[in-house]
Amino acid sequence: MVKVRMATPVLQQNDEVARENRKLFRKKGLFVLNLMSSPGSGKTSILERTIEKLSSRLKLGVIEGDIYTTKDAERIEKFGIAVVQINTAGACHLDARMVQPALDDLDLNDLDLLIVENVGNLVCPAEFDLGEDARAAVLSVAEGNDKPAKYPLVFRESQVVLINKIDLLPHTDCDIDQLEKDLKLINHQLKLFRVSARLDQGFEPWVQWLEEQVNLKKKLSASQ
Amino acid sequence: MVKVRMATPVLQQNDEVARENRKLFRKKGLFVLNLMSSPGSGKTSILERTIEKLSSRLKLGVIEGDIYTTKDAERIEKFGIAVVQINTAGACHLDARMVQPALDDLDLNDLDLLIVENVGNLVCPAEFDLGEDARAAVLSVAEGNDKPAKYPLVFRESQVVLINKIDLLPHTDCDIDQLEKDLKLINHQLKLFRVSARLDQGFEPWVQWLEEQVNLKKKLSASQ
């Protein structure tokens, strides 16, 4: 019988490191976004479109969370921006302690916006604060209307939901107006953006929101 | 500082209860399927079609795993078969210890096939043996071609993959032949079924496979 002692509960340990990460991001005036969703909702495709649109306007960095592979990091690297891969080696989410050493591999002084793409999982990532400024969840219309009710935590803990694959709407039973109402019931402050990463539709309001957040964070940090 | 002691590692504890469940299922000659996928791949819709086709041929029971709601159990209840809901209260997967007490709420002597619909998550459920006879993973063509490589464990640990939403194929970039090759590379023994739960396509080979498994399990149990 193996005994395991845990001196501090996992989430408490995580929150301490998340506070350290947050303090560092504040010092650098860096806005950090935690991007979360189920596998296959289109996080990486959304990230690609976002980089295309913002890389001439902002200095971008990306941390890619993945269980085993570097597939997503390879997709992002093609855009010539700073990208660091975290392989979680089986863990189903990123936590603040995984993110902390990855920050050493980035020149934070040379970044305006850092996007952390979490592991594809609609459940566990929402429980772990990384020290980020905001969380964006991605939901594809192909996943069906019941996802907000069944997985409320990620939507309650996010500031933004990107509703992706709207090009598939005519071919699914998804009622997008009802979906948005259900999301607002869980979190009435949510910013909702309808996009199609595949067809490059609907991204301008989203990247404008991101740019605003980046500028506000800079001002806030400068004033402190 | 709170100290937490764990006398036995979680997975070891789980495996002990899984063995007890498996022993009970053998005694009853009951075939048990663990149905796993991401949120929104169509597990519940596939379950509905499977029940429609099999309920006149087999005595079916269902255990529904969900984090908070009873939405899926309500959908299954309409078919007039035995269904038990397990709410995991935040946990992102079912484990054998959650399944064990739920079995008391079913008349196992009166069942041929028990289907356990796991929590929507392509990562953690695959780590927990429930005592089942087989595992079926669901993958929707809308989730993209890279899922087998990025989330290999669930496909390595399954006997079956149901590739769902094939009606969306003309509207996505999914290459289904390549997807099947990639799945076979991870696990060459996988049985693959292409289905559309929405349009009720492709289910006959799948339900025939299930029926065969049920009959084999009955014979096996009777011979022991």
Side-chain angles (χ1 to χ4, degrees):
Chain A
M1 196 142 88
V2 180
K3 291 210 179 187
V4 180
R5 274 170 210 238
M6 294 167 66
T8 317
V10 171
L11 281 175
Q12 189 181 323
Q13 277 181 25
N14 182 74
D15 286 352
E16 283 166 18
V17 181
R19 272 194 293 274
E20 291 170 21
N21 291 347
R22 185 166 281 118
K23 205 172 153 185
L24 179 64
F25 300 148
R26 195 186 301 126
K27 195 175 143 194
K28 303 290 182 189
L30 176 63
F31 185 80
V32 180
L33 183 85
N34 182 357
L35 189 62
M36 300 183 290
S37 83
S38 289
S41 300
K43 281 186 298 309
T44 315
S45 302
I46 283 175
L47 190 49
E48 289 173 325
R49 293 293 183 195
T50 303
I51 293 167
E52 276 171 20
K53 284 164 212 323
L54 277 183
S55 60
S56 61
R57 287 140 73 172
L58 295 174
K59 285 175 286 180
L60 290 169
V62 167
I63 292 179
E64 276 294 342
D66 215 330
I67 303 179
Y68 306 106
T69 75
T70 55
K71 282 181 174 279
D72 291 346
E74 286 158 26
R75 285 171 62 182
I76 299 306
E77 212 165 31
K78 291 186 186 137
F79 293 88
I81 65 161
V83 56
V84 179
Q85 174 76 48
I86 301 176
N87 279 338
T88 65
C92 62
H93 59 272
L94 289 178
D95 67 32
R97 289 170 300 176
M98 299 178 198
V99 169
Q100 193 170 47
L103 298 174
D104 292 338
D105 295 333
L106 291 165
D107 181 0
L108 300 185
N109 293 318
D110 197 40
L111 293 182
D112 303 309
L113 169 62
L114 174 62
I115 301 180
V116 182
E117 184 180 343
N118 220 309
V119 175
N121 182 338
L122 206 54
V123 187
C124 312
E127 295 175 18
F128 291 84
D129 185 5
L130 308 180
E132 70 272 25
D133 295 280
R135 294 172 166 199
V138 180
L139 191 60
S140 131
V141 301
E143 292 172 48
N145 265 83
D146 60 351
K147 294 304 155 293
K150 290 182 65 186
Y151 305 90
L153 184 67
V154 64
F155 304 109
R156 196 174 292 140
E157 298 283 331
S158 291
Q159 282 70 47
V160 168
V161 177
L162 291 141
I163 304 176
N164 193 23
K165 308 195 188 179
I166 54 167
D167 53 302
L168 291 181
L169 271 174
H171 314 292
T172 69
D173 301 320
C174 178
D175 177 345
I176 193 167
D177 296 321
Q178 188 59 48
L179 184 64
E180 292 195 337
K181 277 182 203 156
D182 293 343
L183 286 166
K184 290 278 196 182
L185 273 177
I186 290 170
N187 179 352
H188 72 280
Q189 294 184 303
L190 276 176
K191 296 263 171 198
L192 302 176
F193 299 102
R194 299 181 181 191
V195 298
S196 164
R198 183 161 172 264
L199 301 189
D200 194 6
Q201 290 171 348
F203 278 89
E204 205 43 48
W206 154 245
V207 296
Q208 277 177 17
W209 180 86
L210 260 182
E211 208 174 4
E212 266 172 45
Q213 304 304 308
V214 167
N215 291 330
L216 287 171
K217 179 74 185 274
K218 267 190 209 297
K219 279 183 196 163
L220 187 73
S221 291
S223 75
Q224 282 175 349
Chain B
M1 195 141 89
V2 180
K3 290 211 180 188
V4 180
R5 272 170 212 240
M6 294 167 66
T8 316
V10 170
L11 281 174
Q12 189 181 323
Q13 278 182 24
N14 183 75
D15 286 352
E16 284 167 18
V17 180
R19 272 194 292 275
E20 291 170 24
N21 291 347
R22 184 165 283 119
K23 204 172 155 186
L24 178 64
F25 300 149
R26 194 184 303 127
K27 196 176 143 192
K28 303 290 182 189
L30 176 62
F31 185 81
V32 180
L33 182 85
N34 182 357
L35 189 61
M36 299 185 291
S37 83
S38 289
S41 299
K43 280 186 300 306
T44 315
S45 302
I46 282 174
L47 190 49
E48 289 173 323
R49 292 292 182 197
T50 303
I51 294 167
E52 277 171 20
K53 283 162 215 320
L54 277 183
S55 61
S56 62
R57 288 140 72 172
L58 296 173
K59 286 175 285 179
L60 291 169
V62 168
I63 292 179
E64 276 294 342
D66 215 330
I67 304 179
Y68 305 107
T69 75
T70 56
K71 281 180 175 278
D72 291 346
E74 286 158 25
R75 284 171 62 181
I76 299 306
E77 210 165 31
K78 289 185 187 137
F79 293 88
I81 66 162
V83 55
V84 179
Q85 174 76 48
I86 301 176
N87 278 340
T88 65
C92 60
H93 59 271
L94 289 177
D95 66 32
R97 289 172 299 177
M98 300 179 199
V99 168
Q100 192 170 49
L103 299 174
D104 293 336
D105 295 333
L106 291 165
D107 182 359
L108 300 185
N109 292 320
D110 197 39
L111 293 183
D112 303 310
L113 169 61
L114 174 62
I115 301 181
V116 182
E117 184 181 342
N118 220 307
V119 176
N121 182 336
L122 205 53
V123 186
C124 311
E127 295 176 17
F128 291 85
D129 184 7
L130 308 179
E132 70 272 27
D133 294 282
R135 294 172 166 200
V138 181
L139 191 59
S140 131
V141 300
E143 292 173 48
N145 263 82
D146 59 353
K147 294 304 154 294
K150 290 182 66 185
Y151 305 90
L153 185 67
V154 65
F155 303 109
R156 196 174 294 140
E157 298 283 331
S158 291
Q159 283 70 46
V160 168
V161 176
L162 291 141
I163 303 176
N164 193 24
K165 308 195 189 180
I166 54 168
D167 53 302
L168 291 181
L169 272 174
H171 314 292
T172 70
D173 301 320
C174 179
D175 177 345
I176 193 167
D177 296 321
Q178 188 59 49
L179 184 65
E180 292 194 338
K181 277 182 204 158
D182 293 343
L183 286 165
K184 289 279 195 180
L185 273 177
I186 290 171
N187 180 350
H188 72 280
Q189 294 185 302
L190 276 176
K191 297 263 170 198
L192 302 176
F193 299 102
R194 299 180 180 192
V195 299
S196 164
R198 183 161 172 262
L199 301 189
D200 194 6
Q201 289 170 350
F203 278 90
E204 204 44 47
W206 154 245
V207 297
Q208 276 177 19
W209 180 85
L210 261 180
E211 207 173 6
E212 265 172 46
Q213 305 303 307
V214 167
N215 292 331
L216 287 171
K217 178 76 185 270
K218 267 190 208 300
K219 279 182 197 163
L220 187 73
S221 291
S223 75
Q224 283 175 344

